[in-house]
Amino acid sequence: MADETGKLSVDDLHSISERLSNRWSEYLEDTPTTNGDEATRAWCVYGLAMHTTNLLSLVAGLHTTGVNPMFLMPQVRTMYETAITAQWIALVEDGANAWINASQANSARLIDNLRKSSDPIFTNAADSIQKARIMDTALPSTSDHQAGNFKSLCADLNIGDTDAYSYYKLLCAYTHPSVDLADEYLVQPEGQNAAIVRQPKMTPTDAWFYLAAASTVWAQMAMQLTAKDPTFRNHLRSIARELGVEDTFQPSDAAWLRLHKK
């Protein structure tokens, strides 16, 4: 990631971001329709791709102001995880079913916790959430574990699962409450006592803006894989080449064997 980032100026990244947002809007005006199982997959992927694209505009705007990259981390982490999940749903045959099953399982746990609450507002909400979110039966899938575990999901795609998950964990370290996050507000010059600072000490960089743009390519391409448009596909491939990233991942051998096991 770092080498390719160095080849692109911040103006290049803003140009790429603008093209991704504008061309996406045009694509949605005349997106090919899908039906049957593909309609469910396209519905899942669309929401993820749309959210990633909206966040790109936010990250681009914040980056323009010179904001410390620490404050971009929550948005970029979401974009990265969302984009890889979108590609997984688009590429793994039962990915959409597994992803819906995982959501159902999370909702069931939420409902169970709400019903144990001492606050009647929460206990009363459990029934309405169950009606809105819970299906009678799980959808057929061999990929429920991968849908509920991002590390396993990364391993399901040929994206260098160790590197892909390491980027995610690095983003998490500066997003969740952590020692790494707290340390950004503490300095200790050599031979001196530690001192607190009011702004993160992280060095300004375009790297996370770059990752945000790459994530948007992956998320939008996931939508294109379900609602195909050769012109839009070529547009995304061109931008991926500018960024120096793959535009589409592939299921790993392990995923293929799981999906085609007799």
Side-chain angles (χ1 to χ4, degrees):
M1 182 178 72
D3 289 342
E4 293 301 333
T5 306
K7 297 176 184 177
L8 297 168
S9 69
V10 66
D11 288 339
D12 293 330
L13 292 172
H14 278 291
S15 172
I16 287 170
S17 298
E18 186 174 357
R19 280 179 278 150
L20 284 169
S21 295
N22 292 343
R23 184 64 184 86
W24 173 254
S25 294
E26 295 172 5
Y27 170 65
L28 293 181
E29 290 176 3
D30 191 29
T31 302
T33 58
T34 56
N35 51 46
D37 292 339
E38 276 305 295
T40 299
R41 190 189 305 273
W43 168 79
C44 292
V45 170
Y46 166 73
L48 300 181
M50 188 71 252
H51 190 57
T52 304
T53 304
N54 283 336
L55 285 177
L56 179 64
S57 297
L58 176 64
V59 169
L62 289 172
H63 193 75
T64 300
T65 68
V67 68
N68 189 285
M70 272 283 295
F71 302 133
L72 299 178
M73 291 292 184
Q75 290 78 25
V76 178
R77 187 201 67 81
T78 296
M79 295 175 72
Y80 182 71
E81 183 179 8
T82 300
I84 291 179
T85 300
Q87 286 249 341
W88 182 80
I89 292 170
L91 293 165
V92 173
E93 291 174 17
D94 59 6
N97 282 1
W99 191 61
I100 292 171
N101 288 343
S103 175
Q104 293 286 302
N106 288 334
S107 293
R109 287 190 289 270
L110 170 62
I111 291 165
D112 184 57
N113 288 332
L114 288 173
R115 286 191 170 131
K116 294 175 182 177
S117 173
S118 60
D119 190 327
I121 293 177
F122 291 127
T123 54
N124 292 336
D127 288 338
S128 61
I129 293 175
Q130 181 165 9
K131 290 179 183 178
R133 297 189 183 182
I134 302 298
M135 298 183 299
D136 293 334
T137 58
L139 299 172
S141 168
T142 65
S143 305
D144 286 359
H145 171 71
Q146 286 72 21
N149 184 292
F150 189 64
K151 185 176 183 179
S152 297
L153 187 151
C154 288
D156 237 14
L157 299 173
N158 282 328
I159 53 176
D161 56 299
T162 300
D163 288 346
Y165 190 66
S166 294
Y167 283 139
Y168 169 74
K169 292 300 289 182
L170 179 60
L171 287 160
C172 287
Y174 292 105
T175 300
H176 302 311
S178 66
V179 172
D180 293 308
L181 186 151
D183 186 63
E184 284 295 312
Y185 295 91
L186 187 71
V187 295
Q188 188 167 13
E190 186 175 351
Q192 301 181 39
N193 293 329
I196 58 173
V197 292
R198 297 195 179 194
Q199 293 295 318
K201 61 190 180 187
M202 182 175 285
T203 303
T205 174
D206 296 333
W208 305 113
F209 186 14
Y210 169 88
L211 185 57
S215 296
T216 307
V217 170
W218 300 329
Q220 291 186 4
M221 184 60 86
M223 180 62 186
Q224 194 282 321
L225 291 169
T226 62
K228 297 176 175 58
D229 180 327
T231 302
F232 187 64
R233 177 192 61 207
N234 291 335
H235 151 75
L236 291 174
R237 285 180 172 173
S238 175
I239 291 184
R241 285 193 295 271
E242 287 185 63
L243 291 167
V245 299
E246 296 291 333
D247 58 82
T248 308
F249 307 129
Q250 296 297 328
S252 66
D253 291 343
W256 192 93
L257 289 172
R258 183 185 74 249
L259 292 163
H260 296 90
K261 186 176 181 180
K262 301 296 184 181

